Amino acid sequence: MPETDSYLRADVFTLLIDTDFRLHPDTGTFCHFDGRPFTDEEQATVLLANRDELQATLETRLLIDTAVQKMEGIAGLNIVLAPYSDQPDEEFILGDVISHVSHEGPSDIERLAYVMNGFVPDRQ
């Protein structure tokens, strides 16, 4: 096949998106993300995946992961900043969070740091 040809088989790509590439200990096959082991047919299908299908899967997973992390980060930020929601946006400053240090549990600034570093704080 010439280098300019590329193709994605929908059935293979769809299966690759749902593949946990760690081998299932009971069957020696890959698994679906929900933990179900692959059937022999599914295992054979993913083992025949071409470079284009693997690359498209990686790119798609990265986009999905980035979108999920962004949504989780925004949700976490909303949780941390909820006590300050009565302040108009133009009057809110980071110093407002720093000045309200709680002595029980993580402070708001610690929770904000968790969010900014990719962690969603527990609701308190």
Side-chain angles (χ1 to χ4, degrees):
M1 180 180 350
E3 283 188 17
T4 57
D5 287 349
S6 68
Y7 65 98
L8 300 177
R9 295 166 291 177
D11 59 330
V12 176
F13 177 71
T14 301
L15 189 56
L16 287 170
I17 290 295
D18 187 36
T19 301
D20 180 348
F21 286 97
R22 293 173 290 183
L23 291 177
H24 196 276
D26 298 336
T27 62
T29 62
F30 297 133
C31 303
H32 295 274
F33 276 116
D34 65 7
R36 291 176 294 125
F38 274 9
T39 64
D40 291 339
E41 182 182 351
E42 290 171 327
Q43 184 74 13
T45 299
V46 296
L47 292 177
L48 293 174
N50 63 43
R51 179 182 296 272
D52 293 331
E53 291 160 340
L54 292 170
Q55 184 172 346
T57 299
L58 175 63
E59 291 170 1
T60 302
R61 281 187 171 184
L62 289 172
L63 288 172
I64 291 169
D65 289 348
T66 300
V68 168
Q69 287 175 350
K70 181 178 178 182
M71 287 186 298
E72 288 175 350
I74 290 171
L77 188 59
N78 288 337
I79 291 167
V80 171
L81 298 181
Y84 310 98
S85 62
D86 60 337
Q87 297 180 6
D89 289 342
E90 60 273 3
E91 293 180 17
F92 176 83
I93 59 171
L94 182 58
D96 295 333
V97 178
I98 294 173
S99 65
H100 292 88
V101 176
S102 169
H103 297 289
E104 296 178 15
S107 69
D108 287 347
I109 193 64
E110 290 169 325
R111 294 171 72 214
L112 182 60
Y114 296 152
V115 170
M116 300 308 283
N117 289 317
F119 301 103
V120 177
D122 294 328
R123 291 178 187 259
Q124 293 191 9

